[in-house]
Amino acid sequence: MIRRRWDEELGISTLTPIRGIGERLAAWHAAGGARVDFVNCDVTDFPALLELFARVQPETIVHFGQQRSAPFSMIDRDRAALTLINNTLGNLNVLWAMREIVPDAHLVKLGTMGEYGTPNIEVEEGFITIEHKGRRDRLPFPKSPNSFYHLTKVADSDQIYFACRAWDLRATDLNQGVVYGLETDDTPADTALVNRFDYDGVYGTVLNRFCVEAALGYPLTVYGVGGQTRAFLNIKDTVRCIALAVEAAAVPGEFRVFNQFTEIFSVLELAKRVQHVAAAAGRAVTIDHLENPRVERETHYYSSVNTQLLSLGLEPHLLDDAAIGGLIEAADANQERIDRAQIAPTVQWSDPSRAMARGVRLNLRASGGAGVTAR
Ligand code: USQ
């Protein structure tokens, strides 16, 4: 629940009104949901975590208690440190509490596709077999994250892999792509169950932002040329993936990595799709190419394997015009809650005057010398 405090500090808020946890749980139980107990425990407070694990004796631990915004982690030193402490120390505490109290439990941990960055080879699911100077080994896939937030996820993965080797723990790292969408199968049961929907420049993810922008008639905020290509999934599939990972648990000593996404799009491709759906509904929306506030490749190769969750039975909700139209309508229905001032990106990864030279260097490296970004 720390997000509510950070929202206040940053002067931002979700498009959808989020109720207090007591009200949400009451609505869930009234709708016939399975029993959920709530305990307010800070994951960085190790004694409290130990006490909780001892009392609950969990069989499965789904660890989502992290600061999850890349721009937030790049605001200033304090936000970078907060992200690092909350995520890395919190993860370490979960591992030590497992070792001490429930060493047979299965950890399901939220990682990110951003751990890998955008390498010029296909991304594997966590591990790659490499031949080097006549020898061969299966090693963690190389990581090249693009923010302090993404770096914490790399550290978490390393910690978990080590704990599985050293202590025989078992764990699944869900390397999730960029999530879009608002509703899951459960949320329509009561308005109090609605998910948060971030559209601001710090927490909003790209497709959700474009849909809010389309509802407002705000030019779609493509950063740079928009060739940045990412793995995506619907929020409904996020929920299903967690269930699949829990049901088919890892075995003792095993560290599994599932690449959790269903489709791959470039940012410009998404902007064009939103523009198209908006136009069909009579909304004229333009696309703006903003100076990229981030340090990232804007033109690059991207391909990734994602077979493990599919082989466990994931049936993807693929992006279609109806999904995009539904998000634009949801934004439209909450127009009075939208603060236009929150839409422009405010967090710069580094000195903007160096951006041009840096952009060319990044894209040269990505393409092996050819295909420099158009900027
Ligand atoms: N982008 C735009 N315009 C915008 C917002 C974003 O062009 O208005 C671009 C960004 O520059 C970036 C891409 O869209 O190239 C994705 O940005 P994002 O803000 O949607 O996603 P990201 O910062 O990567 O982080 C989000 C979640 C994070 C999760 C990650 C998955 O906030 O928790 O780990 O997606 S992944 O991207 O695979 O690492």
Side-chain angles (χ1 to χ4, degrees):
M1 295 187 298
I2 202 169
R3 260 307 297 281
R4 290 161 201 243
R5 197 166 80 212
W6 294 335
D7 279 5
E8 271 169 34
E9 283 172 18
L10 296 174
I12 57 179
S13 72
T14 151
L15 176 79
T16 47
I18 293 287
R19 312 289 173 80
I21 189 71
E23 199 183 332
R24 301 187 83 199
L25 282 177
W28 170 248
H29 291 134
R35 185 179 142 196
V36 176
D37 293 324
F38 172 73
V39 177
N40 189 356
C41 169
D42 181 346
V43 78
T44 63
D45 179 347
F46 187 55
L49 200 62
L50 276 180
E51 192 276 324
L52 178 67
F53 279 22
R55 187 152 45 86
V56 175
Q57 294 288 324
E59 291 168 14
T60 307
I61 296 151
V62 179
H63 179 27
F64 269 50
Q66 301 203 303
Q67 193 300 99
R68 69 115 184 114
S69 157
F72 183 96
S73 74
M74 300 298 293
I75 293 176
D76 53 22
R77 179 267 166 203
D78 285 1
R79 261 69 171 230
L82 187 159
T83 303
L84 197 138
I85 292 165
N86 187 79
N87 293 6
T88 312
L89 179 63
N91 187 66
L92 187 78
N93 285 348
V94 169
L95 293 171
W96 276 95
M98 284 179 73
R99 181 200 155 144
E100 293 190 16
I101 312 277
V102 282
D104 295 324
H106 174 213
L107 174 64
V108 176
K109 163 70 172 45
L110 186 64
T112 172
M113 287 299 292
E115 292 181 38
Y116 306 115
T118 53
N120 205 27
I121 58 172
E122 180 162 64
V123 172
E124 299 293 333
E125 298 200 74
F127 291 87
I128 183 168
T129 300
I130 298 180
E131 258 189 52
H132 181 63
K133 298 185 178 173
R135 300 187 65 81
R136 199 182 165 85
D137 203 355
R138 180 175 178 267
L139 298 167
F141 195 91
K143 306 288 173 72
S144 223
N146 280 332
S147 72
F148 283 114
Y149 152 71
H150 288 99
L151 274 154
T152 66
K153 294 283 191 178
V154 175
D156 295 344
S157 298
D158 286 344
Q159 286 180 1
I160 300 169
Y161 182 33
F162 170 69
C164 289
R165 297 196 310 271
W167 303 333
D168 232 16
L169 298 187
R170 50 196 180 124
T172 306
D173 208 356
L174 298 175
N175 277 0
Q176 179 163 263
V178 186
V179 178
Y180 64 86
L182 172 61
E183 303 281 4
T184 67
D185 292 342
D186 293 318
T187 50
D190 193 304
T191 50
L193 295 176
V194 73
N195 281 316
R196 63 178 309 125
F197 189 102
D198 299 307
Y199 65 92
D200 60 274
V202 174
Y203 273 97
T205 50
V206 63
L207 179 55
N208 284 1
R209 272 168 63 73
F210 287 169
C211 291
V212 172
E213 290 162 3
L216 285 178
Y218 192 105
L220 306 186
T221 54
V222 169
Y223 298 166
V225 295
Q228 301 94 308
T229 305
R230 299 287 183 271
F232 287 82
L233 77 164
N234 190 306
I235 194 167
K236 291 182 179 168
D237 292 332
T238 287
V239 177
R240 184 71 191 128
C241 289
I242 301 163
L244 288 170
V246 169
E247 285 160 13
V251 298
E254 185 183 17
F255 171 64
R256 302 185 301 194
V257 181
F258 294 169
N259 289 347
Q260 182 167 311
F261 69 91
T262 57
E263 292 177 278
I264 291 174
F265 301 108
S266 76
V267 164
L268 185 58
E269 216 179 322
L270 287 178
K272 286 182 175 162
R273 286 190 67 167
V274 171
Q275 186 181 42
H276 170 78
V277 174
R283 299 172 192 271
V285 178
T286 57
I287 295 177
D288 204 359
H289 287 267
L290 304 180
E291 184 74 38
N292 195 339
R294 306 187 184 197
V295 176
E296 61 185 0
R297 290 170 179 159
E298 292 176 13
T299 313
H300 58 91
Y301 171 82
Y302 194 75
S303 175
S304 173
V305 176
N306 65 336
T307 47
Q308 299 208 64
L309 283 159
L310 294 171
S311 65
L312 286 177
L314 177 65
E315 291 171 8
H317 292 80
L318 299 179
L319 183 65
D320 56 16
D321 289 357
I324 294 173
L327 288 175
I328 296 174
E329 277 165 31
D332 207 22
N334 287 285
Q335 285 265 6
E336 79 289 350
R337 289 181 55 87
I338 303 176
D339 177 1
R340 289 179 81 97
Q342 297 305 328
I343 290 181
T346 49
V347 184
Q348 293 287 338
W349 258 231
S350 76
D351 180 356
S353 67
R354 296 170 63 86
M356 179 63 87
R358 193 178 52 233
V360 170
R361 272 201 315 276
L362 276 167
N363 287 293
L364 266 175
R365 249 178 261 142
S367 59
V372 180
T373 163
R375 296 181 64 213

